[in-house]
């Protein structure tokens, strides 16, 4: 099966700075890469996703980049705000129904 | 529009007891999933149902069974609970393969 590794496990940034979270995957057939945000005690929520035919996707302050050759994809959050503090999970899918999740990154934005 | 509804929110079981976690979605999604979330291990797929009438094993199916009752409902059953099944369980649904999930609010299960 697929193996997804996520780094770092914890990340602290000053408000207004950028945050970058990186994931690597093992299966070159993986073709869909979503990112989820989970606030404490809440359900994960999809924040952005990218498919293998695209190298970069942006949505306001959030962007995701994909390097298929190196088998890694990254989440970029610019102009961070305290409400961005949460745990972020990456995932990869090759069959469409079995998503393999990373172990999460706990992001703290310091006001 | 409630999205994905899970019940119960909390449950404590004794080892060997059985229970069923209920999940229902009102978004007319084809695919439904059950995940467990353990500290430091992310989310792991237990079972999924790609469409009404089908179910398949995920990464960690042992000790669980599922039923896709109709397009809206997908239940997860623990026949004989074990302490290793202490976890937070999330149900999710999606339009279909390779689309993002909508998650339920989760069930925190403790097996003593």
């Amino acid at each position: 099966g697929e193996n997804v590794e996520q780094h770092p496990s914890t990340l602290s940034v000053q408000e207004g700075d950028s945050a970058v979270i990186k994931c690597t995957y093992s299966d070159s057939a993986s073709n869909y890469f979503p990112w989820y945000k989970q606030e404490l005690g809440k359900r994960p929520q999809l924040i952005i996703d990218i498919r293998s035919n695209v190298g970069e996707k942006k949505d306001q302050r959030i962007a995701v980049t994909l390097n298929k050759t190196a088998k890694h994809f990254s989440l970029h959050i610019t102009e961070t705000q305290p409400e961005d503090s949460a745990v972020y999970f990456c995932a990869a899918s090759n069959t469409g129904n079995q998503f393999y999740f990373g172990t999460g990154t706990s992001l703290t934005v310091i006001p | 529009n409630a999205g994905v509804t899970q019940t119960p929110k909390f449950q404590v079981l004794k080892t060997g007891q059985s229970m069923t976690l209920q999940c229902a979605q009102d978004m007319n999604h084809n695919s439904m999933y059950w995940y467990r979330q353990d500290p430091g291990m992310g989310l792991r797929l237990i079972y999924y149902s790609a469409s009404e009438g089908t179910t398949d094993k995920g990464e960690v199916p042992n000790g669980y069974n599922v039923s896709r009752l109709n397009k809206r409902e997908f239940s997860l059953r623990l026949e004989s609970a074990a302490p290793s099944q202490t976890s937070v369980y999330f149900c999710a649904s999606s339009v279909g393969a390779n689309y993002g999930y909508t998650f339920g609010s989760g069930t925190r299960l403790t097996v003593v």
Side-chain angles (χ1 to χ4, degrees):
Chain A
E2 172 70 278
N3 181 44
V4 177
E5 295 190 354
Q6 184 172 347
H7 300 282
S9 57
T10 60
L11 179 60
S12 291
V13 299
Q14 293 288 332
E15 182 177 357
D17 288 349
S18 295
V20 180
I21 302 169
K22 183 175 177 178
C23 289
T24 61
Y25 61 98
S26 61
D27 188 345
S28 57
S30 289
N31 55 13
Y32 177 64
F33 307 91
W35 285 88
Y36 291 85
K37 175 184 179 182
Q38 186 177 27
E39 297 175 355
L40 189 62
K42 301 287 184 65
R43 72 192 76 188
Q45 292 192 301
L46 178 70
I47 55 172
I48 196 166
D49 57 10
I50 192 167
R51 300 182 188 280
S52 59
N53 58 345
V54 175
E56 184 176 6
K57 183 177 179 180
K58 290 183 179 179
D59 182 3
Q60 300 183 333
R61 296 185 299 107
I62 293 174
V64 56
T65 58
L66 172 64
N67 184 325
K68 288 166 49 181
T69 302
K71 289 190 282 189
H72 69 71
F73 56 111
S74 299
L75 178 71
H76 305 254
I77 306 174
T78 59
E79 300 173 14
T80 53
Q81 302 168 2
E83 52 264 39
D84 294 328
S85 295
V87 178
Y88 292 81
F89 291 97
C90 64
S93 171
N94 53 14
T95 66
N97 279 302
Q98 292 219 35
F99 285 18
Y100 294 87
F101 283 81
T103 51
T105 296
S106 179
L107 173 65
T108 302
V109 180
I110 304 165
Chain B
N1 188 341
V4 179
T5 303
Q6 274 183 250
T7 57
K9 292 189 182 302
F10 301 93
Q11 184 71 49
V12 178
L13 290 179
K14 294 183 179 178
T15 297
Q17 286 185 319
S18 62
M19 77 161 296
T20 300
L21 282 64
Q22 306 286 353
C23 177
Q25 53 92 9
D26 62 2
M27 297 173 287
N28 201 35
H29 283 173
N30 292 311
S31 303
M32 297 186 73
Y33 312 83
W34 278 104
Y35 279 85
R36 59 179 288 172
Q37 184 174 36
D38 301 293
M41 300 189 74
L43 292 135
R44 292 180 293 167
L45 182 63
I46 304 170
Y47 270 93
Y48 67 96
S49 171
S51 60
E52 185 179 357
T54 69
T55 60
D56 284 286
K57 295 179 180 179
E59 190 180 354
V60 289
N62 291 344
Y64 306 95
N65 284 298
V66 291
S67 295
R68 183 74 182 265
L69 305 170
N70 48 55
K71 190 171 186 179
R72 293 186 61 248
E73 299 173 285
F74 188 39
S75 62
L76 178 71
R77 183 160 178 84
L78 286 71
E79 291 290 352
S80 179
S84 60
Q85 294 178 305
T86 293
S87 187
V88 179
Y89 291 84
F90 285 99
C91 177
S93 70
S94 71
V95 170
N98 272 353
Y99 283 88
Y101 294 162
T102 299
F103 282 92
S105 57
T107 296
R108 185 173 295 275
L109 175 67
T110 302
V111 183
V112 297

